[in-house]
């Protein structure tokens, strides 16, 4: 699990160290730096997956040089499958203070610290790596990693999902990309592979624990997905089918109906919210210990009770060993996580809240802590106080 993310001269962050937990909620005003945090992790993963952060070949030299070395042909790949951040000029923090600014990102996984520093090249979209900082044993008695974790954090190679705020909408068909949905188990940043994933993995069991919905027809992914979606729309069932003669798959819904089960309905005829949330449900239910899920606005297009239910789902995934980092504007999601703590679904220490405030070039943040009763120790001004503020005006 990633315990801490450090950002230096990166977008709105001159320097920030952000604690992360099994379930982290990034909240705050619009344009305050929340998505940038998710993008930093996606940028690292994208650079690694594309072969631009593979320092393993240089490990012997890196070790001889005290595990700090310049590396060639390596760097931050700013534009790729997961994120498109532009060029160096877009990414370098505007109010940098050094004469020769560099952009640095670092993650801590347990005792292991991994850092990457890139040179600033205003016009480039591959920022050359200047330095790497890998786990070492110099600090009193820590065990030196010997496997792949010697050079790469676990989140580079473990199961990973990143779902943008802008996801799939109801459509007649979705892509049938075997490598994405089956080979890599990746749902796509818009969840575009979720239907094909569901079709292929429909009979995978959801492991026992809070993720397993008690009202589902079985433990299988397809029934579990339907059960969690049933909390948004009672009784719904889901089918994902191959379309004969086309490299595409289709999605359909059924409902209990007044005179028995309805005929299958296409996504365009059942409203927006169900399809929009499907990739999130599939991501959480198919996650396993060690999976990292980055989520933007799981509440989008859901009614308030459904938003609370998304928090329950995310907390359940976190309780079963998945790390979920989500950006949200929903007080129902926040309260749903507080409730999950109170109900013992997750411990207070597993839920981390950050509230960001930005002014266009810089960000500061505060981190309210939740106790075992689900109570937060502080409510900074602007942090989900809108309901109270409005009610005060209505009553006053
Ligand atoms: N290179 C940069 N230097 C300073 N601030 C930046 C830079 N790039 C983006 N920003 C600021 O970051 C904020 C956008 O952050 P973002 O994470 O997209 O917001 P949100 O909180 O809505 O997800 C904006 O205030 C923008 O002005
Ligand atoms: Mg955002």
């Amino acid at each position: 699990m990633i315990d801490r993310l450090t950002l230096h001269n990166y977008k709105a962050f001159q320097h920030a160290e952000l604690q992360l937990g099994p379930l982290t909620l990034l909240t705050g005003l619009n344009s305050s730096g929340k998505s940038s945090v998710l993008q930093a992790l996606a940028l690292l993963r994208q650079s690694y997956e594309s072969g631009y952060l593979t320092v393993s070949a240089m490990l012997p030299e890196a070790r001889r040089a005290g595990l700090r070395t310049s590396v060639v042909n390596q760097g931050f790949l700013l534009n790729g499958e997961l994120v498109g951040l532009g060029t160096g000029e877009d990414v370098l923090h505007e109010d940098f203070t050094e004469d020769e600014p560099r952009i640095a990102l670092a993650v801590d996984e347990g005792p292991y610290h991994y850092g990457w520093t890139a040179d600033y090249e205003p016009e480039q979209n591959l920022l050359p790596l200047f330095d790497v900082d890998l786990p070492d044993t110099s600090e009193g008695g820590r065990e030196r990693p010997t496997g792949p974790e010697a050079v790469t954090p676990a989140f580079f190679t473990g199961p990973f999902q990143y779902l943008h705020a802008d996801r799939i909408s109801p459509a007649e068909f979705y892509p049938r990309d075997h490598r994405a949905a089956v080979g890599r188990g990746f749902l796509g940043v818009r969840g575009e592979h979720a239907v094909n994933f569901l079709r292929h993995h429909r009979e995978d069991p959801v492991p026992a624990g809070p993720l397993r919905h008690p009202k589902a027809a079985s433990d299988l992914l397809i029934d579990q997905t339907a059960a969690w979606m049933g909390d948004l729309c009672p009784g719904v069932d889901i089918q994902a089918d191959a379309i004969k003669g086309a490299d595409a798959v289709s999605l359909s819904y059924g409902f209990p109906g007044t005179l028995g089960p309805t005929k299958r309905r296409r996504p365009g005829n059942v409203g927006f919210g169900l399809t929009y949330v499907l990739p999130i449900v599939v991501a959480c239910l198919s996650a396993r210990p060690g999976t990292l899920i980055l989520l933007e606005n799981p509440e989008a297009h859901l009614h308030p009770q459904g938003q609370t239910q998304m928090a329950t789902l995310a907390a359940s995934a976190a309780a079963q060993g998945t790390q979920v980092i989500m950006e949200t504007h929903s007080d129902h999601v926040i309260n749903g996580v507080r409730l999950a703590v109170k109900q013992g679904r997750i411990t207070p220490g597993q839920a981390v809240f950050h509230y960001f405030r930005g002014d266009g070039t810089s960000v500061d943040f505060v981190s309210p802590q939740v106790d075992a009763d689900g109570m937060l120790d502080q409510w900074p001004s602007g942090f989900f106080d809108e309901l109270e503020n409005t009610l005060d005006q209505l009553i006053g």
Side-chain angles (χ1 to χ4, degrees):
M1 185 184 89
I2 307 171
D3 302 288
R4 190 209 307 252
L5 171 68
T6 306
L7 311 164
H8 184 78
N9 279 340
Y10 164 79
K11 296 190 72 183
F13 299 90
Q14 186 181 75
H15 189 89
E17 294 184 14
L18 209 66
Q19 188 212 335
L20 302 173
L23 176 57
T24 305
L25 290 105
L26 309 172
T27 73
L29 302 186
N30 288 104
S31 237
S32 61
K34 305 178 297 294
S35 295
S36 302
V37 170
L38 302 180
Q39 288 163 356
L41 293 170
L43 170 63
L44 287 172
R45 170 104 186 187
Q46 153 174 309
S47 304
Y48 177 78
E49 280 187 338
S50 311
Y52 291 107
L53 280 186
T54 13
V55 290
S56 54
M58 328 191 90
L59 189 58
E61 299 97 279
R63 285 230 162 114
R64 273 196 293 279
L67 296 169
R68 282 180 170 75
T69 184
S70 293
V71 280
V72 283
N73 298 327
Q74 299 285 297
F76 293 156
L77 183 69
L78 300 185
N79 299 325
E81 183 189 24
L82 301 178
V83 274
L85 297 178
T87 64
E89 196 170 14
D90 295 299
V91 174
L92 178 73
H93 176 64
E94 214 167 304
D95 294 344
F96 60 86
T97 52
E98 301 90 341
D99 293 337
E100 214 180 318
R102 293 199 170 90
I103 296 156
L105 301 174
V107 294
D108 286 67
E109 284 184 347
Y112 303 137
H113 177 82
Y114 306 83
W116 302 266
T117 304
D119 280 323
Y120 170 53
E121 301 268 1
E123 308 281 316
Q124 298 302 318
N125 55 25
L126 177 66
L127 299 184
L129 212 57
F130 167 77
D131 193 22
V132 289
D133 188 1
L134 300 175
D136 64 49
T137 49
S138 55
E139 292 157 50
R142 280 182 188 164
E143 206 177 308
R144 180 195 289 276
T146 49
E149 67 270 28
V151 283
T152 53
F155 96 90
F156 277 9
T157 49
F160 172 83
Q161 305 293 351
Y162 178 26
L163 290 165
H164 288 187
D166 170 26
R167 297 189 291 273
I168 50 166
S169 47
E172 281 168 32
F173 52 85
Y174 297 96
R176 182 176 174 175
D177 179 332
H178 190 86
R179 181 165 179 266
V182 184
R184 296 167 66 206
F186 184 54
L187 302 180
V189 291
R190 300 187 65 239
E192 63 271 28
H193 303 302
V195 179
N196 195 31
F197 182 95
L198 191 57
R199 184 183 71 87
H200 224 276
H201 293 275
R202 48 174 291 123
E203 301 207 337
D204 287 4
V206 169
L211 263 183
R212 236 188 227 177
H213 199 292
K215 293 190 187 142
S218 79
D219 302 338
L220 306 184
L221 180 64
I222 189 81
D223 291 329
Q224 289 287 328
T225 303
W228 281 94
M229 304 268 286
D231 289 337
L232 313 176
C233 172
V236 70
D237 84 87
I238 295 157
Q239 223 170 281
D241 296 303
I243 301 175
K244 214 164 183 274
D247 298 327
V249 291
S250 70
L251 176 66
S252 67
Y253 298 94
F255 299 88
T258 33
L259 303 172
T262 64
K263 49 185 188 182
R264 310 299 310 165
R265 302 205 199 285
R266 52 171 76 190
N269 291 338
V270 303
F272 209 83
L274 277 182
T275 303
Y276 211 71
V277 84
L278 178 73
I280 296 178
V281 176
V282 174
C284 289
L285 293 180
S286 62
R288 296 293 176 266
T291 300
L292 173 63
I293 302 180
L294 309 179
L295 274 184
E296 285 182 343
N297 305 105
E299 67 271 17
H301 303 295
L302 295 183
H303 70 111
Q305 194 189 333
Q307 297 180 26
T308 311
Q309 203 55 13
M310 283 301 105
T312 310
L313 178 66
S316 304
Q320 288 187 223
T322 295
Q323 182 168 28
V324 183
I325 308 173
M326 63 158 93
E327 168 179 353
T328 182
H329 287 300
S330 164
D331 29 14
H332 304 299
V333 170
I334 296 289
N335 291 336
V337 171
R338 295 170 61 201
L339 196 58
V341 172
K342 181 169 181 180
Q343 292 171 339
R345 204 170 276 263
I346 50 170
T347 65
Q350 288 179 313
V352 175
F353 297 80
H354 295 301
Y355 173 59
F356 290 82
R357 293 174 288 209
D359 65 4
T361 49
S362 67
V363 178
D364 81 311
F365 64 90
V366 286
S367 310
Q369 294 202 350
V370 67
D371 68 16
D373 293 323
M375 296 297 139
L376 293 169
D377 67 347
Q378 53 172 325
W379 288 86
S381 167
F383 178 73
F384 300 99
D385 53 9
E386 191 55 20
L387 178 65
E388 266 172 55
N389 293 344
T390 315
L391 286 178
D392 277 352
Q393 291 181 58
L394 278 169
I395 298 164

